[in-house]
Amino acid sequence: MYILLLLSLLFMGGCWMFQRDLRSSTTVSKSSASDFSAMYKPSSSVVNPQVTAYISSDSEADVFFRIRTQELKNALANPLEKEINIYVKYYLRTASDFQLADTASMRYTFDVSSGDYVYGRFKVALVNKVAYKLVVDFVNVNYDIRKRLLCDLKNTPGFNDDKYVATANSGEVLFGNVIPVGKSLVLTAGADCNKSVDIEFYSEKSYVSLPPYLSSPVKAPNLPDSIFRYTFGDILRIDRAGLYALGTTSKNEKFGIVATDNQSYPSVTKVVDMLEPLKLICTDKEFARIDSSENIKKSVDAFWLGLSKNEKNAKEQIRVFYSRVALANMFFPSSIEGWQTDRGMLYIMLGPPSIVNITPTSEEWVYGDTNGLLFTFENTSGLRNDFSLLRSNTYQSVWSQVLTTWRSGKIFTVSKLNNE
């Protein structure tokens, strides 16, 4: 009897271990930081600042931020008020273990009577050869302003994407690395930068939609269309769509400036810019038919109307879909436009994640509660915003549900999603 009881317990334990391992691919794993999902939810705060930073020397970084003036006006209780105080507090944490290295608070007083944006800047002291994560809080409790953002500061040897800053001819810092074709920039070098650098130009490639249950194909070596020498401080003219790569890593990953033909980037305002994101929803035959039509606007409208069979619902689908495209462009640009990335794809199709956990080299997105559907994005290159989804065939049924929802004329959102 004792032997039978022991065997039964071992069998039950083995079953439990198998179920736990099977579940671990789609449920939340332990991470090193608190929930950062508010970063990707504009509705979580009345203001949504943008932050960029670069390492100007071995021991210091310059951090820039901007806030839309209209958002600050909307936050003010009295429309006649012209000024607002914003308290900015940063937490500098080591990337490897999230240990606190430094913290400081500042108060800024902004005039909201004119201009599209208000701007701020501060410096952060660094230790050489250490990679950091910088957490920045924007707060004014009287006006319900609470927003937390996160950015990397890689103060490691060699030239990387945290060691230069791009500005327009007017001197305005570029927030994000995507710029419309026809603009000009000036790049300023920081730590570990020579006076000049080779820039490799890679022309824009056609987007291929790859569902989360399919593995990414092995990429063939990507040779540049052209190479030219750039001296920091000179004007860089952006005259073709594609990637202007500043140097390469040992793994041949590229970083630099992305040029797009979308003059309204990150927004989507023209029909020609509405076409490519449709690859997330439509079939290859549907896309080819729309792309080759004489009147693309009419064909795009007909596609959405064909899904919903109702003009009101079609307009709402269009509004939400392309609003998510614009937000993906704002949040996730890397060596390609934000909507083309793995995070951008899921953000557009599923909406903002319920929970975002940050680890030293990854982001974990949870849809639903803490036991909900998990997507993990790894940053293996170490480059800014360069995250790839850990793909799995366990997502196939979920993705089928997502596509079916959109193609039935409805908007897919997740309030609570259990893995079954």
Side-chain angles (χ1 to χ4, degrees):
M1 289 180 62
Y2 290 113
I3 293 174
L4 289 175
L5 178 60
L6 178 61
L7 290 174
S8 298
L9 290 172
L10 288 173
F11 176 76
M12 291 173 64
C15 291
W16 179 83
M17 287 295 293
F18 171 77
Q19 291 174 352
R20 186 186 66 175
D21 292 342
L22 182 65
R23 185 175 174 81
S24 67
S25 65
T26 52
T27 56
V28 184
S29 60
K30 184 175 177 60
S31 61
S32 306
S34 57
D35 177 24
F36 281 89
S37 60
M39 289 194 304
Y40 305 142
K41 296 176 181 176
S43 61
S44 65
S45 174
V46 291
V47 300
N48 288 279
Q50 291 176 277
V51 171
T52 191
Y54 91 109
I55 298 171
S56 52
S57 71
D58 289 341
S59 60
E60 194 172 61
D62 285 358
V63 184
F64 307 87
F65 67 87
R66 70 177 184 180
I67 307 173
R68 288 188 181 275
T69 306
Q70 188 59 53
E71 291 180 340
L72 294 173
K73 287 181 180 179
N74 294 340
L76 291 170
N78 184 350
L80 298 179
E81 291 183 81
K82 302 298 182 183
E83 290 186 345
I84 187 171
N85 293 325
I86 299 293
Y87 295 87
V88 178
K89 184 172 184 176
Y90 73 78
Y91 305 86
L92 185 68
R93 296 184 176 275
T94 51
S96 59
D97 55 12
F98 284 87
Q99 291 299 307
L100 186 64
D102 189 22
T103 184
S105 299
M106 297 144 282
R107 188 185 78 169
Y108 295 83
T109 301
F110 294 118
D111 181 353
V112 299
S113 60
S114 63
D116 294 330
Y117 290 93
V118 297
Y119 296 86
R121 177 178 180 177
F122 59 90
K123 293 182 179 293
V124 176
L126 308 175
V127 174
N128 195 20
K129 299 182 180 180
V130 177
Y132 297 95
K133 289 189 179 291
L134 181 69
V135 180
V136 187
D137 287 343
F138 297 84
V139 178
N140 184 318
V141 294
N142 294 328
Y143 298 110
D144 196 29
I145 295 174
R146 296 179 180 88
K147 191 70 174 185
R148 168 166 288 186
L149 298 177
L150 177 75
C151 64
D152 290 309
L153 289 172
K154 299 184 294 294
N155 196 19
T156 50
F159 179 50
N160 62 49
D161 54 343
D162 286 330
K163 295 186 177 180
Y164 74 93
V165 64
T167 57
N169 287 338
S170 61
E172 179 185 344
V173 171
L174 180 66
F175 289 83
N177 64 322
V178 183
I179 187 170
V181 170
K183 304 292 185 180
S184 294
L185 296 174
V186 175
L187 308 184
T188 301
D192 291 338
C193 293
N194 297 321
K195 292 182 179 179
S196 60
V197 65
D198 283 335
I199 293 184
E200 301 175 345
F201 174 73
Y202 298 83
S203 58
E204 190 176 42
K205 301 295 188 296
S206 179
Y207 173 72
V208 177
S209 177
L210 190 67
Y213 58 85
L214 291 180
S215 298
S216 300
V218 177
K219 295 181 180 179
N222 191 14
L223 299 177
D225 295 70
S226 61
I227 303 175
F228 60 94
R229 194 72 177 171
Y230 172 77
T231 301
F232 287 105
D234 287 352
I235 294 175
L236 174 62
R237 292 181 173 83
I238 307 298
D239 53 7
R240 289 184 290 171
L243 172 65
Y244 294 75
L246 280 69
T248 60
T249 68
S250 58
K251 294 183 179 180
N252 206 36
E253 287 99 357
K254 315 294 181 183
F255 65 90
I257 305 298
V258 177
T260 175
D261 286 319
N262 177 8
Q263 295 297 307
S264 302
Y265 189 94
S267 300
V268 181
T269 59
K270 294 185 178 180
V271 175
V272 66
D273 302 319
M274 297 173 68
L275 184 58
E276 283 286 302
L278 283 181
K279 290 180 177 178
L280 292 170
I281 292 180
C282 67
T283 64
D284 291 342
K285 288 183 178 180
E286 288 171 335
F287 183 84
R289 185 169 62 248
I290 297 171
D291 190 30
S292 61
S293 63
E294 294 183 1
N295 189 328
I296 293 182
K297 181 182 185 307
K298 185 176 180 181
S299 297
V300 170
D301 289 343
F303 170 78
W304 287 105
L305 186 59
L307 299 185
S308 64
K309 309 296 190 298
N310 178 290
E311 184 175 348
K312 180 180 179 181
N313 291 346
K315 287 182 177 180
E316 183 63 10
Q317 268 198 306
I318 291 172
R319 185 190 68 80
V320 172
F321 183 82
Y322 290 107
S323 292
R324 291 183 183 179
V325 170
L327 290 171
N329 284 340
M330 183 183 300
F331 295 141
F332 312 121
S334 58
S335 59
I336 51 180
E337 295 178 35
W339 75 267
Q340 299 177 4
T341 65
D342 285 347
R343 289 185 299 170
M345 171 187 65
L346 289 178
Y347 191 90
I348 294 166
M349 297 297 286
L350 279 73
S354 308
I355 301 170
V356 174
N357 296 319
I358 303 294
T359 73
T361 60
S362 70
E363 283 190 10
E364 299 169 340
W365 287 18
V366 183
Y367 286 89
D369 58 22
T370 54
N371 292 315
L373 180 66
L374 170 69
F375 294 95
T376 301
F377 305 89
E378 286 285 349
N379 184 330
T380 57
S381 69
L383 300 179
R384 182 184 301 172
N385 252 4
D386 186 29
F387 288 85
S388 297
L389 175 66
L390 296 185
R391 296 170 178 272
S392 170
N393 57 12
T394 59
Y395 297 130
Q396 188 164 2
S397 60
V398 172
W399 196 249
S400 176
Q401 179 186 347
V402 172
L403 276 178
T404 299
T405 301
W406 279 102
R407 292 186 63 85
S408 63
K410 300 175 183 177
I411 297 165
F412 188 89
T413 57
V414 179
S415 57
K416 184 175 181 181
L417 184 60
N418 293 321
N419 302 309
E420 297 180 350

